[in-house]
Amino acid sequence: MGHDLTAAAGMAQLHGILRALAWDHTGPPGTVVDRLDDAMPAITTVPMATLVLARVEGHPHTGPWTLRWTSAGHPPPLLLTPGGHAHYLEAGQGLVLGAPVGTGEGRPNATQPLPPGSTLLLYTDGLIEIPGSDLGTGLDRLRRLALTLAHASLDTLCDQLLARMPPGSTDDVALLALRLPTP
């Protein structure tokens, strides 16, 4: 959280720690993020952060594919299916990193089958925050726009989503798109 050089350095620290934890642990994504949350106050100065940790499982070329993920206060992934549907994957939502959980329960995990030819979008909140509007409006706008561009190449899809952002946003934007092959 934050938009300055200190925040960027803190995110780089968390990124490195998360990579090491994910490499070392093959369990559910929520368990990896729980470990990051426990380590954060001891080895970083980052008070809070959001993230999605997602893993696509399956044969790289033939599938079937499954998405396993957890979210720590981050906007939900958007799944575009070849049948012309776009829906947010809202399961797996949990509190931001650094927020006191206190329940003794681990972070939530979610699982979603990914059909051949589907496109998965992961993005930061800068893509959906519209000055003077609520997040629901920004989410709806992204879903509608992504659906109209669903059949475009990934490069065109990403370029057009970024080009059609409403003016006035001051937040950073990151966008990651994955399209699964068709048999």
Side-chain angles (χ1 to χ4, degrees):
M1 294 188 168
H3 300 97
D4 59 7
L5 188 55
T6 302
M11 293 305 103
Q13 281 183 316
L14 289 181
H15 179 256
I17 297 165
L18 180 60
R19 285 185 67 177
L21 291 171
W23 180 84
D24 187 52
H25 188 72
T26 59
T31 304
V32 175
V33 176
D34 279 337
R35 293 178 69 204
L36 176 62
D37 208 8
D38 291 342
M40 245 174 68
I43 54 180
T44 75
T45 58
V46 177
M48 292 186 153
T50 67
L51 69 78
V52 169
L53 179 60
R55 181 174 59 232
V56 175
E57 299 173 348
H59 187 278
H61 303 289
T62 60
W65 301 281
T66 301
L67 178 68
R68 296 188 193 286
W69 81 98
T70 190
S71 174
H74 205 271
L78 178 61
L79 181 63
L80 307 170
T81 60
H85 295 88
H87 64 278
Y88 287 103
L89 304 179
E90 295 178 341
Q93 296 288 59
L95 295 174
V96 298
L97 289 170
V101 178
T103 63
E105 294 181 25
R107 289 199 175 268
N109 288 287
T111 304
Q112 173 75 40
L114 299 174
S118 62
T119 302
L120 181 67
L121 295 176
L122 299 163
Y123 53 92
T124 59
D125 57 353
L127 190 64
I128 56 169
E129 287 180 344
I130 300 169
S133 186
D134 60 57
L135 282 178
T137 300
L139 287 166
D140 188 50
R141 182 183 177 286
L142 174 61
R143 187 188 60 75
R144 284 192 327 269
L145 183 55
L147 196 52
T148 65
L149 297 164
H151 297 293
S153 71
L154 282 183
D155 285 342
T156 299
L157 171 69
C158 292
D159 288 346
Q160 287 300 308
L161 288 176
L162 294 172
R164 296 181 188 185
M165 285 183 53
S169 179
T170 59
D171 205 351
D172 59 323
V173 176
L175 176 61
L176 175 67
L178 167 73
R179 180 159 298 143
L180 295 160
T182 54

